[in-house]
Amino acid sequence: MVESTEQSGGVLLLSASSLPAVTALVEGLYCGTEVCYDVLGVTREAPKAEIARAYRQLARRYHPDRFRPGEPGSEGETQETAHKKFLLIATAYETLKDEDTRRDYDYMLDHPEEYYQHYYAYYRRQLTPKVDVRVVILVTICAISIFQYYSWHSSYNEAINYLVTVPKYRIQATEIAKQQGLLNRTKEKGKNRRSKEEIREQEEEVIRDIIKNKIDIKGGYQKPNLSDILLCQIVLFPYYLTNYVAWYVSWVYRFTICREDYGDQEKLYIIRRYMKMSQSQFDSLEENTKQTFLEKQLWIKENYEVYRKDQEEEMKVKMATDPRMKRYRRWMKNEGPGRLTFIDD
């Protein structure tokens, strides 16, 4: 009687010990109501190599293209049941081969009461993109760089199309083309004779090419350069940083320690900094404008402040005498933005 009671207690104890694993199994999570370890025939302490070996053996047996009903070890199995078992085997392997997923699964087996936490952990991993974040960043940078290049190329073509219509540049380009013999019309006879429209189109193309090659467009409409796109800027950043540090050290040594006189380039750099202009904006200025800056010695702070105030006063005078500004002020006085009315159709 005592022995029977001890056996019953042992059975109950065994059942209680297996209870967490059973109650933790939820349909729709991992292997469903099956234990992934049992599906592959391995223990919870099995290393990754043993799990992979067990998966390959079972996959060869139950793969839909290799499964043969009636083979030893697959008695009673049909093509349909073998297919379902193969999917379960694949799910078990996907769960256990990844360390993070396996850790979540083991936690679910050990803590079946945290029902909602298991759902969250499972679907968080299922819905998280599998692509490496570094790949996403690289693709994004490449896409931005391509957009940059084609956008700059489009702006450059717009600038060329505009300059072709400007008489100043068009006359210069025509003279250069005539000097190079590109616009000398030869008499054409027979089938090779071209129409006036074809000749005009060719001349326009020649003028366009000369303007494109001879005129240095600066600023926001300059010719696109691959080294200016984002991808190249990131790749060349260490090089640019090294150059900047070397330039800064040289500047401090030459002009702060050794007290050297500024050259023209250094003077223009200081003037550009005072004017708070980017390099491309400053480069777009005419050379005579830059020469005027140097003549007025604007690299000296006091001279620049006087120049800035003079420019502001000049701008005020222009705005006061501009007919458009007069009309605008008259409209603001008589009508004002608060008196606008909108008519509904």
Side-chain angles (χ1 to χ4, degrees):
M1 182 68 177
V2 175
E3 182 179 356
S4 175
T5 303
E6 290 179 353
Q7 290 178 352
S8 299
V11 173
L12 290 174
L13 183 60
L14 180 61
S15 301
S17 63
S18 61
L19 184 59
V22 174
T23 56
L25 303 178
V26 180
E27 192 66 45
L29 299 184
Y30 304 104
C31 296
T33 56
E34 299 285 339
V35 179
C36 293
Y37 294 102
D38 295 342
V39 171
L40 296 179
V42 296
T43 63
R44 289 185 59 171
E45 293 76 21
K48 294 178 66 174
E50 182 180 346
I51 292 174
R53 184 166 55 251
Y55 166 73
R56 287 193 294 269
Q57 292 176 354
L58 293 172
R60 282 195 295 266
R61 181 188 303 176
Y62 292 100
H63 194 280
D65 296 336
R66 296 187 175 186
F67 177 74
R68 296 292 181 271
E71 288 186 352
S74 59
E75 292 82 1
E77 296 281 356
T78 64
Q79 194 76 26
E80 183 178 356
T81 58
H83 178 68
K84 292 181 179 180
K85 196 162 189 177
F86 174 77
L87 295 178
L88 183 62
I89 292 169
T91 301
Y93 178 64
E94 290 293 327
T95 302
L96 301 180
K97 75 173 183 178
D98 182 75
E99 293 183 0
D100 295 333
T101 307
R102 183 177 181 179
R103 189 182 306 111
D104 290 343
Y105 183 69
D106 290 342
Y107 185 84
M108 186 187 78
L109 295 179
D110 296 334
H111 303 84
E113 70 281 357
E114 300 180 13
Y115 183 80
Y116 294 106
Q117 172 64 23
H118 304 325
Y119 263 100
Y120 170 76
Y122 176 77
Y123 284 105
R124 179 175 60 85
R125 294 197 180 279
Q126 291 292 319
L127 299 177
T128 300
K130 304 298 182 182
V131 182
D132 193 339
V133 176
R134 292 170 295 182
V135 176
V136 176
I137 295 175
L138 178 61
V139 171
T140 303
I141 292 175
C142 291
I144 294 175
S145 301
I146 293 173
F147 175 79
Q148 274 184 325
Y149 182 80
Y150 281 102
S151 177
W152 291 343
H153 196 274
S154 176
S155 299
Y156 175 71
N157 287 332
E158 289 179 4
I160 294 296
N161 292 335
Y162 169 73
L163 293 178
V164 169
T165 62
V166 177
K168 173 184 175 182
Y169 299 109
R170 187 177 182 84
I171 293 172
Q172 293 178 1
T174 303
E175 292 297 328
I176 294 174
K178 289 180 179 179
Q179 293 174 5
Q180 296 179 355
L182 301 176
L183 294 182
N184 295 333
R185 299 185 181 182
T186 57
K187 295 183 178 180
E188 300 173 347
K189 299 180 180 179
K191 296 181 179 180
N192 295 328
R193 186 175 182 179
R194 297 174 297 170
S195 64
K196 292 182 179 180
E197 293 183 358
E198 291 176 342
I199 295 175
R200 191 179 299 109
E201 289 178 0
Q202 183 181 6
E203 291 178 352
E204 289 293 328
E205 191 65 30
V206 170
I207 293 174
R208 179 185 175 86
D209 289 341
I210 291 176
I211 291 177
K212 183 184 295 186
N213 297 324
K214 298 295 183 180
I215 298 178
D216 185 18
I217 302 176
K218 298 180 180 179
Y221 293 92
Q222 64 184 359
K223 190 174 184 180
N225 194 344
L226 287 176
S227 61
D228 293 332
I229 64 176
L230 179 62
L231 179 61
C232 293
Q233 290 287 312
I234 294 175
V235 173
L236 296 175
F237 176 75
Y239 170 76
Y240 292 144
L241 181 61
T242 303
N243 283 350
Y244 175 76
V245 172
W247 170 86
Y248 184 77
V249 171
S250 174
W251 181 284
V252 172
Y253 176 76
R254 292 173 56 194
F255 304 116
T256 303
I257 299 177
C258 297
R259 300 291 182 176
E260 292 185 15
D261 294 333
Y262 293 128
D264 288 347
Q265 293 300 321
E266 288 77 18
K267 294 174 182 177
L268 290 174
Y269 169 76
I270 296 173
I271 295 171
R272 180 176 69 83
R273 293 295 300 272
Y274 285 161
M275 293 183 172
K276 298 180 180 181
M277 298 176 66
S278 65
Q279 186 65 54
S280 60
Q281 290 174 330
F282 196 77
D283 289 341
S284 63
L285 298 177
E286 298 289 342
E287 289 299 325
N288 57 353
T289 303
K290 297 178 183 178
Q291 190 62 35
T292 303
F293 294 161
L294 294 176
E295 292 174 356
K296 293 184 177 181
Q297 298 183 353
L298 297 187
W299 68 89
I300 301 174
K301 186 68 173 178
E302 293 77 9
N303 295 345
Y304 173 74
E305 290 297 331
V306 173
Y307 171 81
R308 183 179 62 83
K309 291 178 180 179
D310 292 342
Q311 290 295 308
E312 291 177 355
E313 291 297 328
E314 184 179 345
M315 182 60 65
K316 290 179 181 179
V317 173
K318 286 183 178 180
M319 293 179 65
T321 57
D322 190 350
R324 291 175 296 182
M325 291 302 300
K326 288 183 178 179
R327 288 195 298 268
Y328 175 75
R329 286 195 297 270
R330 190 182 303 115
W331 174 81
M332 287 293 294
K333 181 179 179 181
N334 298 330
E335 300 293 336
R339 299 188 181 184
L340 289 176
T341 57
F342 296 90
I343 301 175
D344 296 329
D345 294 336

